[in-house]
Amino acid sequence: DFKKNLININRFFAVCLIVIITIPLSAASVTVAESLLSQGKYETAITKLEPLADQDDPKALFLLSHIYLTPEFKFLNIPKGLALLRKAVFHNYGPAIDTLAGLYLSGDGVEKSEARALNYYIQGSFLGYGPSQFNCGIMYKEGQGTNKDPAKAYLHLCLASLNKKDLDDVTIDAARY
């Protein structure tokens, strides 16, 4: 019994060690891919991101979706891009949630729905993602996708005005509203 428990504890620590080692490697690979994207090396970035996306890395899923949804990158594949974006949203990745909300708001690649856009902005807002906080507040202020609701607008815009990490100077605009 003792020996069996010791083996299970060792397995547990082995798994923890693997997770501890692979998370920084994943983050480093995504950073390399981001650098490649900024250099216009899209094919190389795709080869770096695909294995990470296969492991459900939310940022890799989002970056790949961006490549497939952006015509300028010349890899346009809307169904594949939306599928990757939705997987990143499933993992509660703020930029992906905000992007999907924006697609519903504009009707780009999906059926236009201000109500769905607002729901995604709310999700992003409560996850602490600044752009979603700002957009959510504006939608409530303007009554877009919902009835005008000054109290909810105030709440989300206050959150946005405090979110320097994601919004930087836009926090000033959020505070003005």
Side-chain angles (χ1 to χ4, degrees):
D1 228 15
F2 175 76
K3 193 173 183 181
K4 198 175 193 180
N5 286 338
L6 189 59
I7 290 170
N8 287 336
I9 290 171
N10 285 338
R11 283 184 187 153
F12 172 76
F13 283 117
V15 168
C16 288
L17 184 60
I18 289 168
V19 169
I20 290 168
I21 291 171
T22 57
I23 288 173
L25 291 176
S26 173
S29 296
V30 170
T31 303
V32 168
E34 283 180 301
S35 175
L36 291 166
L37 285 174
S38 69
Q39 297 169 35
K41 298 177 181 177
Y42 307 120
E43 287 182 43
T44 309
I46 289 170
T47 61
K48 296 274 186 203
L49 290 169
E50 282 180 337
L52 299 172
D54 290 341
Q55 297 171 15
D56 285 339
D57 180 292
K59 191 169 186 179
L61 288 162
F62 174 69
L63 291 172
L64 266 179
S65 76
H66 184 64
I67 292 169
Y68 292 124
L69 293 171
T70 306
E72 295 81 32
F73 293 156
K74 311 250 187 288
F75 293 94
L76 190 63
N77 185 334
I78 292 173
K80 187 173 185 175
L82 287 173
L84 291 164
L85 185 61
R86 282 188 166 89
K87 280 182 86 173
V89 166
F90 176 78
H91 291 289
N92 287 321
Y93 187 63
I97 295 166
D98 194 71
T99 298
L100 188 58
L103 293 177
Y104 277 111
L105 190 60
S106 67
D108 288 337
V110 296
E111 185 177 332
K112 184 175 176 148
S113 171
E114 290 180 350
R116 283 183 115 176
L118 179 61
N119 285 333
Y120 282 113
Y121 284 138
I122 291 168
Q123 180 183 352
S125 179
F126 285 119
L127 287 171
Y129 188 63
S132 290
Q133 293 168 335
F134 183 82
N135 293 327
C136 186
I138 296 300
M139 288 187 77
Y140 277 122
K141 182 181 185 296
E142 303 296 327
Q144 197 172 5
T146 187
N147 295 324
K148 288 184 179 185
D149 190 328
K152 288 181 181 175
Y154 181 77
L155 167 73
H156 292 281
L157 289 168
C158 281
L159 292 171
S161 72
L162 300 172
N163 198 331
K164 285 250 186 226
K165 181 184 89 171
D166 293 329
L167 291 173
D168 201 23
D169 289 340
V170 178
T171 58
I172 296 166
D173 296 332
R176 285 185 189 146
Y177 283 105

